[in-house]
Amino acid sequence: MTSAREERRDPGARAPRRAPGTLEAAVLDVLWEAGEPLHPVQVRERLIAHGEAGADEPAYTTVVTVLTRLYEKKALARERDGRAYRYAPAADEAGLAARRLTAMLDAARDRRAVLSRFVRDLSDNDEQLLRAVLDTRETPATEGGQG
């Protein structure tokens, strides 16, 4: 039970801030689960219904900001629907992670050094998995039916 003094001292207390990226991740989860493009108001409603937004309910403008930022990061596609947009994921979770890795490589000065360090730091299981993926990848000469 809080005292009247505590309530007067901090009447506009805000809920604790979310960890960075938490709301973006929740928005992506909602859109992947929906399986169809959604308006920002629909995203907000689903965030609140699933309790995925954290301790506080995000404002509509916050959801629009997050959707816009995800679109600018190429994580979402959007289509005009009247005066608003409807948003959908640009890729599945694995595809989005791959885009992030590619963007990080593109931003590096020394791509070879980054890849070398990445491979050196892989666990044995991940190294075997990467080798298997690389071994099964088609070469450009065979993709077009040429041999």
Side-chain angles (χ1 to χ4, degrees):
M1 181 172 195
T2 60
S3 70
R5 177 183 237 179
E6 289 174 304
E7 289 177 19
R8 275 195 310 260
R9 188 170 14 128
D10 201 6
R14 292 183 175 199
R17 293 185 62 88
R18 290 180 220 39
T22 305
L23 187 55
E24 283 188 2
V27 166
L28 284 166
D29 287 343
V30 163
L31 290 168
W32 280 318
E33 185 180 295
E36 64 181 347
L38 297 177
H39 289 277
V41 70
Q42 295 170 305
V43 172
R44 181 177 182 271
E45 288 169 355
R46 291 178 188 210
L47 285 169
I48 293 167
H50 291 115
E52 295 179 30
D56 58 339
E57 295 180 0
Y60 173 81
T61 54
T62 301
V63 173
V64 170
T65 299
V66 169
L67 289 166
T68 301
R69 287 181 181 165
L70 287 169
Y71 171 75
E72 290 169 353
K73 293 177 183 180
K74 299 187 181 353
L76 297 180
R78 72 181 181 190
E79 58 189 44
R80 177 75 72 178
D81 187 15
R83 292 177 50 195
Y85 288 104
R86 292 182 339 145
Y87 294 85
D92 61 8
E93 193 168 2
L96 184 57
R99 285 178 186 217
R100 288 180 184 147
L101 291 171
T102 300
M104 289 170 53
L105 278 174
D106 290 345
R109 286 189 208 163
D110 188 346
R111 193 178 193 100
R112 181 181 179 89
V114 172
L115 285 170
S116 294
R117 177 68 56 91
F118 175 76
V119 170
R120 186 174 53 225
D121 292 344
L122 288 174
S123 69
D124 289 342
N125 288 340
D126 285 342
E127 182 181 345
Q128 290 173 1
L129 181 59
L130 180 59
R131 286 183 190 279
V133 169
L134 290 172
D135 288 345
T136 60
R137 186 176 67 167
E138 291 186 37
T139 61
T142 61
E143 285 179 355
Q146 302 168 4

